[in-house]
Amino acid sequence: MDTDAVLDLVREVVAEHVTPRFGALAAGDVASKRRPGDLVTVADREAEVALSAALRAAHPDALVVGEEAVSETPGLLHGLASAAHAFTVDPVDGTRHFVAGSPDHATMLAELHHGRTVRSWIWQPQHLSLIHI
């Protein structure tokens, strides 16, 4: 996928899974991860699944590592440094802010080749801003 296609993917997934839940989370939509106070929402989980599936479909050779998956299975990180091609996904960075209704959260995605970041995207949907590195 070219840079703009990945950005379009991030925007679409966020528009479908994250933005509709901003300021509208029900009590059952928020849980703690393994560490107390480390929150995860239904938006985190659904956005990560959607982003990961799309990246795997477009790049079947790539390792895709999502924050929520790693929280459940830490061993997923082991192949990241040595993978020829990989993506990291943080579906809602700043989940605590997201839960509190603060606009200061983002979706972050990075592409790596042999452990080195070659492209990254940070989409802040409530600020309608993109940081591309």
Side-chain angles (χ1 to χ4, degrees):
M1 298 175 79
D2 70 19
T3 299
D4 289 336
V6 175
L7 174 58
D8 290 343
L9 169 65
V10 170
R11 286 179 173 161
E12 289 169 15
V13 167
V14 168
E16 182 177 346
H17 298 285
V18 179
T19 300
R21 292 191 169 94
F22 180 65
L25 291 167
D29 292 341
V30 182
S32 288
K33 295 184 194 180
R34 292 179 176 216
R35 294 184 327 224
D38 193 5
L39 302 177
V40 62
T41 70
V42 65
D44 291 271
R45 290 186 173 127
E46 289 181 2
E48 180 172 304
V49 167
L51 285 167
S52 297
L55 290 168
R56 285 186 185 106
H59 301 277
D61 64 318
L63 173 66
V64 180
V65 178
E67 178 185 359
E68 307 317 327
V70 168
S71 177
E72 295 294 319
T73 311
L76 293 174
L77 284 176
H78 294 306
L80 192 58
S82 62
H85 188 201
F87 289 91
T88 60
V89 177
D90 187 347
V92 181
D93 183 65
T95 300
R96 201 173 290 161
H97 293 293
F98 181 76
V99 169
S102 167
D104 297 328
H105 60 274
T107 296
M108 301 192 316
L109 192 144
E111 181 177 14
L112 297 88
H113 290 169
H114 301 283
R116 182 183 164 138
T117 303
V118 294
R119 297 188 295 175
S120 63
W121 299 259
I122 302 172
W123 175 241
Q124 295 180 291
Q126 306 311 315
H127 295 291
L128 295 177
S129 64
L130 166 74
I131 301 167
H132 177 252
I133 301 169

